[in-house]
Amino acid sequence: MRYAQLVVGPAGSGKSTYCSTVVKHASDAKRIIEVVNLDPAAEHFDYEPMVDIRELIHLDDAMEDEELQFGPNGGLVFCIETLLENCDWLEEQLGDVDDDYMLFDCPGQIELYTHLPVMRKLVDLLQKWNFRICVVFMVDSQFMIDGAKFLSGTMAALSVMVNLELPHVNILTKMDLLSKSARRQIDDYLDPDPHVLLADMRNGKSKWHEKYAKLTEAIGEVIENFSLVRFYPLNIKDEESVENIILTIDNIIQYGEDADVKIKDFDELDPEDGNDNYD
């Protein structure tokens, strides 16, 4: 069995920073976690990728081709489709070592995960190659500090969950950049309560909420009644916060459960010692 995190989320949500943080934390704990870069437009990251899609195709290749003439969004989709068409190349690059643990650093184009089939096809390939996968959906906490935005982010996370059909962890990133007041405010949203969201939106006197209050309330009740979405805060400057996220995901993908149990040998008890009175 092999293990993988599919790190997804909007552009600028901290996916590459998360990958480099996890790799460093794993190294300090004497674990080996590799990163696969699936972003053909990436320019810089703080980790050395084990596999890099840019060695196969770069976004500029799709945008500068005189026949294709793709824009940035179409070019990204084309690059991922090209990767799928060259799945033998990817399989060879990934190798076939049991107990591998990899992070797949994905592009920031949200429609790749919400309704296009390309990432679902990639997931099917990885599962065929014996990967046990958890989706890690990243959302910038700085954009989730009011009810309307939080509800929007929750629905985006839910859309990814439905499309990919995999175990799922939602992470609020950049918690270290929030002010104290914003951090207190976002605590109410970590386990979404529709009543808190609705109250927040009412206080904001939104014209949208006034018109569609019943719709917003219905969406909030669906989220609460089915316990569909929960968020975990991540502060990359806090080792305990990073460790909690890794432990949560390890439990989900059952990492390490197939390892042999280590048994400590004890000296056999001397029969003569058994007569001692310990009363």
Side-chain angles (χ1 to χ4, degrees), residues 23-39:
V23 167
K24 182 179 182 302
H25 186 89
S27 177
D28 293 341
K30 310 302 181 186
R31 283 179 59 180
I32 298 176
I33 296 181
E34 301 285 1
V35 184
V36 177
N37 174 46
L38 294 183
D39 186 356

Side-chain angles (χ1 to χ4, degrees), residues 28-279:
D28 293 341
K30 310 302 181 186
R31 283 179 59 180
I32 298 176
I33 296 181
E34 301 285 1
V35 184
V36 177
N37 174 46
L38 294 183
D39 186 356
E43 295 181 357
H44 172 73
F45 28 63
D46 295 329
Y47 59 80
E48 186 66 33
M50 171 189 177
V51 183
D52 193 341
I53 189 177
R54 297 175 302 175
E55 296 178 4
L56 176 69
I57 185 170
H58 196 285
L59 179 62
D60 292 341
D61 299 333
M63 293 180 61
E64 295 174 1
D65 189 284
E66 294 182 358
E67 293 184 5
L68 299 175
Q69 294 184 338
F70 282 118
N73 291 338
L76 274 171
V77 175
F78 177 79
C79 289
I80 300 298
E81 289 176 342
T82 300
L83 176 67
L84 294 175
E85 291 173 359
N86 293 271
C87 59
D88 292 342
W89 175 86
L90 179 60
E91 184 177 13
E92 181 182 351
Q93 294 292 311
L94 293 176
D96 185 17
V97 179
D98 205 26
D99 287 336
D100 272 348
Y101 197 124
M102 300 181 189
L103 310 179
F104 289 81
D105 189 1
C106 299
Q109 191 178 5
I110 194 67
E111 54 264 40
L112 288 171
Y113 323 109
T114 55
H115 59 275
L116 292 177
V118 287
M119 295 306 292
R120 178 59 204 236
K121 292 178 181 177
L122 176 63
V123 164
D124 291 341
L125 274 177
L126 293 177
Q127 290 178 326
K128 180 182 176 182
W129 297 336
N130 208 30
F131 276 98
R132 188 177 287 165
I133 310 167
C134 177
V135 174
V136 182
F137 184 72
M138 322 289 284
V139 184
D140 189 338
S141 60
Q142 298 176 97
F143 298 101
M144 301 281 278
I145 54 178
D146 69 63
K149 291 178 181 177
F150 195 91
L151 193 58
S152 175
T154 299
M155 295 306 294
L158 182 57
S159 180
V160 175
M161 290 171 62
V162 171
N163 190 39
L164 296 182
E165 296 181 320
L166 285 171
H168 201 97
V169 172
N170 301 299
I171 296 179
L172 290 179
T173 61
K174 306 182 184 180
M175 292 293 292
D176 52 301
L177 301 181
L178 291 180
S179 64
K180 290 184 179 179
S181 60
R183 204 171 300 172
R184 285 194 298 269
Q185 186 178 357
I186 211 167
D187 284 342
D188 295 330
Y189 298 151
L190 292 177
D191 196 0
D193 183 340
H195 303 293
V196 173
L197 299 178
L198 291 170
D200 185 63
M201 295 172 73
R202 288 192 195 100
N203 295 336
K205 297 180 180 179
S206 165
K207 291 183 178 180
W208 170 270
H209 177 71
E210 291 175 5
K211 186 175 182 179
Y212 299 104
K214 290 184 178 180
L215 173 62
T216 304
E217 186 173 351
I219 293 173
E221 288 179 353
V222 168
I223 294 170
E224 179 187 40
N225 292 341
F226 292 92
S227 300
L228 292 173
V229 179
R230 180 185 177 186
F231 288 90
Y232 294 86
L234 173 63
N235 180 350
I236 63 172
K237 295 181 179 179
D238 182 352
E239 288 293 321
E240 185 177 354
S241 175
V242 177
E243 177 64 26
N244 287 340
I245 294 293
I246 295 175
L247 182 60
T248 298
I249 297 171
D250 284 351
N251 288 336
I252 289 173
I253 58 179
Q254 298 176 308
Y255 173 76
E257 292 193 4
D258 296 331
D260 294 333
V261 177
K262 295 181 179 179
I263 301 175
K264 183 178 180 180
D265 293 327
F266 293 90
D267 294 333
E268 291 187 8
L269 185 66
D270 190 330
E272 296 182 359
D273 294 338
N275 295 326
D276 292 341
N277 187 0
Y278 293 100
D279 293 336

